[in-house]
Amino acid sequence: MSHQVVEHLTFYGGLTTIGGVHILYTCGDTGIVFDLGMARGFFNGDVRVQTDSGIRSFMLTRMAPPILGLYDPSLVGDLGETELKQVWGKDHLPQVSNLHGFVSHIHQDHMALLPSLRAGLPLWMHRDAYAVYEGVVAAGEYEDTQADIRLVDDGQIVDFGTFRIEFIEVDHDSPGVTGFIIHGPKHRIAFTADWRRHGRNSHRLDRFIERCQTVGVDLLITEGTRMRPDTLFRKPKDRLEIEVAVECRRAMEDTEGLVYVNVLARNVERVADLIVRTQEAGRQLVMDESTAVLWKEAAAKLVVLKGHLALEMDQKVIRLLSTPNWSKGPHPVKDVELPYASITQNEIRADKSKYAVYLTYPHIPLIAELEIGESQTATSIYVHADGNPLTPNDETLLKWLTEFGVQYRYCATGGHASPQEIMELTTRIAPRLVVPLHSLHPTLFNSGGVRKYCPTPGESFELSELVGKQLTV
């Protein structure tokens, strides 16, 4: 490998937002973009675009990186580098002929651009992340991608010619979340992806740290979601991941009424635990079609779920609520043969103590249907466990629960490390420079004496220039 090849790093997204990380690493004529999602910005549930024109709007609002070789040319149309330079206020936007993409995990803010990618683009992700993506597509949440999916395993090293990437699985609240170490001709760059210490696999972070220590990292790029003024001096006490499903079971045991559970379906491991705890509580778990398809398609392929009890008992525990008007996502649900017995609203109302209802945010109106009737002797409970909306004070959700007398229990744990844990990881790795991002307040990061830098959107560096910057800590 020639040491004359120059390494560049360009920062586009996720620098002062939670999610939407877009970074381009190039070495010679080869480059890789990580990640490929979107942060919330110019669009919401009411203001939206369709795939056939969406990528243009995303690039023109800086919600997607201005790298023309990433996208389906038919979606980009006549939008060119001249317009993108104007939007970004830059004289130069790096492009390479041999371009690759990387997705660290299947959360919207890391993978939402996948349907817009060009056919044949090499796209790298962990095989468990891809299993979740297949479930998400089957459930009708996203269209499929035309990119050329390249699956990796934990610890695998891929040679890109001018550099190598060592993929390392970390722990987050979705399967297959993977960070990496780029082994360039001169520098080593570590990217944590999203991570936490209170999950079921905290040891993965110790291994990530050990690999970084072994190779000697010049630049560490870490997420900082929970860096806020209120968390800097007092470490939050986190509920352990393994306790969440136990809390759901406790709610099922605390009432003879219905229990509604709101879990993000992409957290397939948590759904698996929920299935087991529901059975332990003597109930059945009622799912809508979209959620059931995501579970069935993803769970069967996930390496991390191999041998899980939920795979053996789901046919007895899961019931399918055939209410197609509210169970469909934005795209058609894949025609999957589901082995679950159907159930009606009348059957649920007839004996609420037998059921828990998996209730996603868009389907809140179902509460009105299930809470009517002559016999309302027991209070129903709604367990909010990191499903959308992500905060416990959503006005719409609380209005529905109050209207129908449903008790609210917030049982979140989340997928992100505390600022103190990020500092500990940084000081143990001891890079020459750390870049915190995926954060609303990256400048608040206490790096423990390690030099830090907060890039601005579109800022581009030669690696030697960046890691050699004379910065304060």
Short mmCIF file of all heavy atoms in Angstrom, two decimals, residues 123-166:
data_model
loop_
_atom_site.label_atom_id
_atom_site.label_comp_id
_atom_site.label_asym_id
_atom_site.label_seq_id
_atom_site.Cartn_x
_atom_site.Cartn_y
_atom_site.Cartn_z
N LEU A 123 -22.79 -1.64 -0.76
CA LEU A 123 -23.32 -1.12 0.49
C LEU A 123 -23.08 -2.16 1.60
O LEU A 123 -23.59 -3.27 1.54
CB LEU A 123 -24.82 -0.84 0.38
CG LEU A 123 -25.51 -0.31 1.61
CD1 LEU A 123 -24.97 1.06 1.98
CD2 LEU A 123 -27.02 -0.25 1.41
N TRP A 124 -22.29 -1.77 2.58
CA TRP A 124 -21.84 -2.69 3.61
C TRP A 124 -22.67 -2.53 4.88
O TRP A 124 -22.94 -1.42 5.33
CB TRP A 124 -20.36 -2.44 3.92
CG TRP A 124 -19.48 -2.59 2.73
CD1 TRP A 124 -19.21 -1.63 1.79
CD2 TRP A 124 -18.79 -3.77 2.31
NE1 TRP A 124 -18.38 -2.13 0.81
CE2 TRP A 124 -18.10 -3.45 1.11
CE3 TRP A 124 -18.66 -5.05 2.83
CZ2 TRP A 124 -17.31 -4.37 0.43
CZ3 TRP A 124 -17.87 -5.98 2.16
CH2 TRP A 124 -17.22 -5.65 0.98
N MET A 125 -23.07 -3.67 5.46
CA MET A 125 -23.74 -3.67 6.75
C MET A 125 -23.64 -5.06 7.37
O MET A 125 -23.41 -6.06 6.68
CB MET A 125 -25.20 -3.23 6.62
CG MET A 125 -26.13 -4.20 5.91
SD MET A 125 -27.86 -3.66 5.94
CE MET A 125 -27.87 -2.39 4.69
N HIS A 126 -23.81 -5.11 8.67
CA HIS A 126 -23.79 -6.38 9.41
C HIS A 126 -24.98 -7.23 8.96
O HIS A 126 -26.07 -6.71 8.68
CB HIS A 126 -23.87 -6.08 10.91
CG HIS A 126 -23.62 -7.27 11.79
ND1 HIS A 126 -24.60 -8.24 12.01
CD2 HIS A 126 -22.55 -7.65 12.51
CE1 HIS A 126 -24.12 -9.16 12.83
NE2 HIS A 126 -22.87 -8.82 13.14
N ARG A 127 -24.82 -8.53 8.94
CA ARG A 127 -25.89 -9.41 8.45
C ARG A 127 -27.14 -9.32 9.33
O ARG A 127 -28.26 -9.47 8.83
CB ARG A 127 -25.41 -10.83 8.29
CG ARG A 127 -25.02 -11.57 9.54
CD ARG A 127 -24.56 -13.00 9.21
NE ARG A 127 -23.38 -13.00 8.35
CZ ARG A 127 -23.41 -13.32 7.06
NH1 ARG A 127 -24.54 -13.69 6.48
NH2 ARG A 127 -22.30 -13.31 6.35
N ASP A 128 -26.99 -9.07 10.62
CA ASP A 128 -28.18 -8.92 11.47
C ASP A 128 -28.89 -7.60 11.20
O ASP A 128 -30.13 -7.53 11.27
CB ASP A 128 -27.80 -9.03 12.95
CG ASP A 128 -27.79 -10.47 13.45
OD1 ASP A 128 -28.13 -11.39 12.66
OD2 ASP A 128 -27.45 -10.70 14.63
N ALA A 129 -28.14 -6.57 10.89
CA ALA A 129 -28.77 -5.30 10.49
C ALA A 129 -29.57 -5.49 9.21
O ALA A 129 -30.69 -4.97 9.07
CB ALA A 129 -27.71 -4.22 10.30
N TYR A 130 -29.02 -6.27 8.29
CA TYR A 130 -29.74 -6.51 7.04
C TYR A 130 -31.01 -7.33 7.28
O TYR A 130 -32.04 -7.10 6.62
CB TYR A 130 -28.84 -7.21 6.03
CG TYR A 130 -29.50 -7.42 4.68
CD1 TYR A 130 -29.99 -6.33 3.97
CD2 TYR A 130 -29.65 -8.69 4.14
CE1 TYR A 130 -30.61 -6.51 2.73
CE2 TYR A 130 -30.26 -8.88 2.91
CZ TYR A 130 -30.74 -7.79 2.21
OH TYR A 130 -31.35 -7.96 0.99
N ALA A 131 -30.97 -8.25 8.21
CA ALA A 131 -32.17 -9.02 8.55
C ALA A 131 -33.28 -8.09 9.04
O ALA A 131 -34.45 -8.25 8.68
CB ALA A 131 -31.85 -10.07 9.61
N VAL A 132 -32.91 -7.10 9.85
CA VAL A 132 -33.90 -6.12 10.32
C VAL A 132 -34.40 -5.29 9.15
O VAL A 132 -35.61 -5.02 9.03
CB VAL A 132 -33.31 -5.22 11.41
CG1 VAL A 132 -34.34 -4.17 11.86
CG2 VAL A 132 -32.86 -6.04 12.61
N TYR A 133 -33.50 -4.90 8.25
CA TYR A 133 -33.91 -4.11 7.09
C TYR A 133 -34.90 -4.89 6.22
O TYR A 133 -35.91 -4.33 5.76
CB TYR A 133 -32.70 -3.70 6.26
CG TYR A 133 -33.05 -2.87 5.05
CD1 TYR A 133 -33.63 -1.62 5.20
CD2 TYR A 133 -32.84 -3.34 3.76
CE1 TYR A 133 -33.97 -0.85 4.09
CE2 TYR A 133 -33.17 -2.58 2.65
CZ TYR A 133 -33.74 -1.33 2.81
OH TYR A 133 -34.08 -0.57 1.72
N GLU A 134 -34.65 -6.17 6.02
CA GLU A 134 -35.59 -6.98 5.24
C GLU A 134 -36.96 -7.01 5.92
O GLU A 134 -38.00 -6.97 5.24
CB GLU A 134 -35.05 -8.40 5.08
CG GLU A 134 -33.86 -8.51 4.12
CD GLU A 134 -33.45 -9.95 3.89
OE1 GLU A 134 -32.97 -10.59 4.86
OE2 GLU A 134 -33.61 -10.44 2.76
N GLY A 135 -36.97 -7.07 7.25
CA GLY A 135 -38.23 -7.03 7.97
C GLY A 135 -38.94 -5.71 7.82
O GLY A 135 -40.17 -5.65 7.64
N VAL A 136 -38.19 -4.61 7.87
CA VAL A 136 -38.75 -3.27 7.73
C VAL A 136 -39.37 -3.09 6.34
O VAL A 136 -40.47 -2.53 6.20
CB VAL A 136 -37.64 -2.21 7.98
CG1 VAL A 136 -38.08 -0.84 7.50
CG2 VAL A 136 -37.29 -2.17 9.46
N VAL A 137 -38.69 -3.57 5.31
CA VAL A 137 -39.21 -3.48 3.94
C VAL A 137 -40.47 -4.35 3.80
O VAL A 137 -41.48 -3.92 3.23
CB VAL A 137 -38.14 -3.90 2.92
CG1 VAL A 137 -38.74 -4.03 1.52
CG2 VAL A 137 -36.99 -2.89 2.91
N ALA A 138 -40.41 -5.57 4.33
CA ALA A 138 -41.57 -6.46 4.25
C ALA A 138 -42.78 -5.88 4.96
O ALA A 138 -43.93 -6.09 4.54
CB ALA A 138 -41.21 -7.82 4.85
N ALA A 139 -42.52 -5.12 6.04
CA ALA A 139 -43.61 -4.53 6.82
C ALA A 139 -44.23 -3.31 6.16
O ALA A 139 -45.22 -2.77 6.65
CB ALA A 139 -43.11 -4.17 8.21
N GLY A 140 -43.64 -2.85 5.06
CA GLY A 140 -44.19 -1.71 4.35
C GLY A 140 -43.73 -0.36 4.86
O GLY A 140 -44.29 0.67 4.48
N GLU A 141 -42.68 -0.34 5.69
CA GLU A 141 -42.19 0.94 6.22
C GLU A 141 -41.30 1.67 5.21
O GLU A 141 -41.28 2.90 5.19
CB GLU A 141 -41.42 0.71 7.52
CG GLU A 141 -42.29 0.20 8.66
CD GLU A 141 -41.51 0.12 9.96
OE1 GLU A 141 -40.54 0.89 10.13
OE2 GLU A 141 -41.86 -0.72 10.80
N TYR A 142 -40.55 0.92 4.41
CA TYR A 142 -39.65 1.51 3.42
C TYR A 142 -39.68 0.67 2.15
O TYR A 142 -39.96 -0.54 2.19
CB TYR A 142 -38.20 1.56 3.93
CG TYR A 142 -37.90 2.72 4.85
CD1 TYR A 142 -38.10 2.61 6.22
CD2 TYR A 142 -37.43 3.93 4.34
CE1 TYR A 142 -37.83 3.66 7.06
CE2 TYR A 142 -37.16 5.00 5.18
CZ TYR A 142 -37.36 4.86 6.54
OH TYR A 142 -37.11 5.91 7.38
N GLU A 143 -39.36 1.32 1.04
CA GLU A 143 -39.11 0.58 -0.18
C GLU A 143 -37.74 -0.09 -0.09
O GLU A 143 -36.87 0.35 0.67
CB GLU A 143 -39.14 1.51 -1.39
CG GLU A 143 -40.51 2.10 -1.66
CD GLU A 143 -40.49 3.03 -2.87
OE1 GLU A 143 -40.71 2.54 -3.99
OE2 GLU A 143 -40.24 4.23 -2.68
N ASP A 144 -37.52 -1.11 -0.89
CA ASP A 144 -36.24 -1.80 -0.89
C ASP A 144 -35.19 -0.94 -1.59
O ASP A 144 -35.51 0.06 -2.23
CB ASP A 144 -36.38 -3.15 -1.60
CG ASP A 144 -35.34 -4.16 -1.12
OD1 ASP A 144 -34.39 -3.75 -0.42
OD2 ASP A 144 -35.47 -5.35 -1.44
N THR A 145 -33.95 -1.34 -1.44
CA THR A 145 -32.85 -0.61 -2.07
C THR A 145 -32.35 -1.34 -3.30
O THR A 145 -32.45 -2.57 -3.38
CB THR A 145 -31.69 -0.42 -1.08
OG1 THR A 145 -30.68 0.38 -1.69
CG2 THR A 145 -31.10 -1.75 -0.65
N GLN A 146 -31.82 -0.58 -4.25
CA GLN A 146 -31.19 -1.18 -5.43
C GLN A 146 -29.70 -1.42 -5.22
O GLN A 146 -29.03 -1.99 -6.09
CB GLN A 146 -31.36 -0.26 -6.64
CG GLN A 146 -32.78 0.04 -7.05
CD GLN A 146 -32.81 0.93 -8.28
OE1 GLN A 146 -32.58 0.48 -9.41
NE2 GLN A 146 -33.06 2.22 -8.07
N ALA A 147 -29.17 -0.97 -4.10
CA ALA A 147 -27.74 -1.10 -3.85
C ALA A 147 -27.34 -2.56 -3.74
O ALA A 147 -28.16 -3.45 -3.49
CB ALA A 147 -27.36 -0.35 -2.57
N ASP A 148 -26.05 -2.80 -3.92
CA ASP A 148 -25.49 -4.15 -3.84
C ASP A 148 -25.08 -4.41 -2.39
O ASP A 148 -24.02 -3.98 -1.95
CB ASP A 148 -24.29 -4.26 -4.78
CG ASP A 148 -23.61 -5.62 -4.71
OD1 ASP A 148 -24.20 -6.56 -4.15
OD2 ASP A 148 -22.47 -5.72 -5.21
N ILE A 149 -25.93 -5.09 -1.63
CA ILE A 149 -25.69 -5.31 -0.21
C ILE A 149 -24.52 -6.28 -0.03
O ILE A 149 -24.49 -7.38 -0.58
CB ILE A 149 -26.93 -5.88 0.49
CG1 ILE A 149 -28.15 -4.96 0.26
CG2 ILE A 149 -26.67 -6.07 1.98
CD1 ILE A 149 -28.03 -3.61 0.89
N ARG A 150 -23.55 -5.85 0.77
CA ARG A 150 -22.39 -6.69 1.12
C ARG A 150 -22.44 -6.94 2.64
O ARG A 150 -22.31 -5.98 3.42
CB ARG A 150 -21.08 -5.99 0.74
CG ARG A 150 -21.04 -5.44 -0.69
CD ARG A 150 -20.66 -6.46 -1.70
NE ARG A 150 -20.61 -5.92 -3.05
CZ ARG A 150 -19.52 -5.44 -3.65
NH1 ARG A 150 -18.37 -5.40 -2.97
NH2 ARG A 150 -19.55 -4.99 -4.90
N LEU A 151 -22.66 -8.16 3.03
CA LEU A 151 -22.84 -8.48 4.45
C LEU A 151 -21.49 -8.73 5.12
O LEU A 151 -20.60 -9.35 4.55
CB LEU A 151 -23.73 -9.70 4.61
CG LEU A 151 -25.14 -9.58 4.00
CD1 LEU A 151 -25.94 -10.85 4.26
CD2 LEU A 151 -25.87 -8.37 4.54
N VAL A 152 -21.37 -8.23 6.36
CA VAL A 152 -20.16 -8.44 7.13
C VAL A 152 -20.51 -9.05 8.47
O VAL A 152 -21.64 -8.93 8.96
CB VAL A 152 -19.36 -7.14 7.34
CG1 VAL A 152 -18.89 -6.57 6.02
CG2 VAL A 152 -20.18 -6.11 8.11
N ASP A 153 -19.53 -9.71 9.07
CA ASP A 153 -19.66 -10.27 10.40
C ASP A 153 -18.77 -9.51 11.36
O ASP A 153 -17.83 -8.81 10.96
CB ASP A 153 -19.28 -11.76 10.39
CG ASP A 153 -20.23 -12.60 9.58
OD1 ASP A 153 -21.44 -12.58 9.89
OD2 ASP A 153 -19.78 -13.28 8.64
N ASP A 154 -19.05 -9.66 12.63
CA ASP A 154 -18.24 -9.03 13.66
C ASP A 154 -16.78 -9.47 13.53
O ASP A 154 -16.49 -10.66 13.42
CB ASP A 154 -18.80 -9.43 15.03
CG ASP A 154 -18.00 -8.85 16.18
OD1 ASP A 154 -17.53 -7.71 16.05
OD2 ASP A 154 -17.84 -9.55 17.20
N GLY A 155 -15.88 -8.51 13.51
CA GLY A 155 -14.46 -8.80 13.44
C GLY A 155 -13.91 -8.96 12.03
O GLY A 155 -12.70 -9.09 11.84
N GLN A 156 -14.77 -8.92 11.04
CA GLN A 156 -14.32 -9.11 9.66
C GLN A 156 -13.55 -7.89 9.16
O GLN A 156 -13.89 -6.75 9.47
CB GLN A 156 -15.53 -9.36 8.76
CG GLN A 156 -15.18 -9.65 7.30
CD GLN A 156 -16.41 -10.05 6.50
OE1 GLN A 156 -17.44 -10.44 7.05
NE2 GLN A 156 -16.31 -9.93 5.17
N ILE A 157 -12.50 -8.13 8.40
CA ILE A 157 -11.71 -7.06 7.79
C ILE A 157 -11.87 -7.14 6.28
O ILE A 157 -11.69 -8.20 5.67
CB ILE A 157 -10.22 -7.18 8.18
CG1 ILE A 157 -10.05 -7.04 9.70
CG2 ILE A 157 -9.41 -6.10 7.46
CD1 ILE A 157 -8.63 -7.22 10.19
N VAL A 158 -12.24 -6.02 5.67
CA VAL A 158 -12.46 -5.95 4.23
C VAL A 158 -11.40 -5.04 3.63
O VAL A 158 -11.17 -3.93 4.12
CB VAL A 158 -13.86 -5.43 3.90
CG1 VAL A 158 -14.02 -5.26 2.39
CG2 VAL A 158 -14.93 -6.38 4.44
N ASP A 159 -10.75 -5.52 2.57
CA ASP A 159 -9.71 -4.77 1.88
C ASP A 159 -10.33 -3.97 0.73
O ASP A 159 -10.92 -4.54 -0.18
CB ASP A 159 -8.65 -5.74 1.35
CG ASP A 159 -7.38 -5.02 0.88
OD1 ASP A 159 -7.47 -3.81 0.57
OD2 ASP A 159 -6.32 -5.66 0.82
N PHE A 160 -10.21 -2.65 0.77
CA PHE A 160 -10.74 -1.78 -0.27
C PHE A 160 -9.65 -1.32 -1.24
O PHE A 160 -9.89 -0.43 -2.05
CB PHE A 160 -11.43 -0.56 0.37
CG PHE A 160 -12.71 -0.90 1.09
CD1 PHE A 160 -12.69 -1.43 2.36
CD2 PHE A 160 -13.93 -0.71 0.48
CE1 PHE A 160 -13.86 -1.74 3.03
CE2 PHE A 160 -15.12 -1.02 1.13
CZ PHE A 160 -15.09 -1.54 2.41
N GLY A 161 -8.47 -1.90 -1.14
CA GLY A 161 -7.38 -1.54 -2.04
C GLY A 161 -6.44 -0.54 -1.40
O GLY A 161 -5.33 -0.88 -0.99
N THR A 162 -6.87 0.71 -1.28
CA THR A 162 -6.01 1.73 -0.68
C THR A 162 -6.15 1.79 0.84
O THR A 162 -5.38 2.47 1.51
CB THR A 162 -6.34 3.12 -1.27
OG1 THR A 162 -7.74 3.39 -1.07
CG2 THR A 162 -6.01 3.17 -2.75
N PHE A 163 -7.16 1.11 1.38
CA PHE A 163 -7.34 1.05 2.84
C PHE A 163 -8.12 -0.22 3.20
O PHE A 163 -8.69 -0.88 2.32
CB PHE A 163 -8.08 2.29 3.36
CG PHE A 163 -9.46 2.48 2.76
CD1 PHE A 163 -10.59 1.96 3.38
CD2 PHE A 163 -9.63 3.20 1.59
CE1 PHE A 163 -11.86 2.15 2.84
CE2 PHE A 163 -10.89 3.39 1.03
CZ PHE A 163 -12.00 2.86 1.66
N ARG A 164 -8.14 -0.55 4.46
CA ARG A 164 -8.92 -1.70 4.97
C ARG A 164 -9.85 -1.21 6.06
O ARG A 164 -9.57 -0.23 6.75
CB ARG A 164 -7.99 -2.78 5.53
CG ARG A 164 -7.10 -3.44 4.50
CD ARG A 164 -6.14 -4.44 5.13
NE ARG A 164 -5.23 -3.76 6.07
CZ ARG A 164 -5.10 -4.07 7.36
NH1 ARG A 164 -5.83 -5.04 7.89
NH2 ARG A 164 -4.24 -3.41 8.13
N ILE A 165 -10.99 -1.90 6.22
CA ILE A 165 -11.91 -1.59 7.31
C ILE A 165 -12.14 -2.83 8.15
O ILE A 165 -12.46 -3.91 7.63
CB ILE A 165 -13.26 -1.05 6.79
CG1 ILE A 165 -13.06 0.27 6.05
CG2 ILE A 165 -14.23 -0.85 7.96
CD1 ILE A 165 -14.35 0.92 5.60
N GLU A 166 -11.97 -2.67 9.45
CA GLU A 166 -12.24 -3.73 10.42
C GLU A 166 -13.58 -3.42 11.08
O GLU A 166 -13.73 -2.41 11.77
CB GLU A 166 -11.12 -3.76 11.47
CG GLU A 166 -11.31 -4.79 12.55
CD GLU A 166 -10.15 -4.78 13.54
OE1 GLU A 166 -9.18 -4.02 13.32
OE2 GLU A 166 -10.23 -5.52 14.54
#
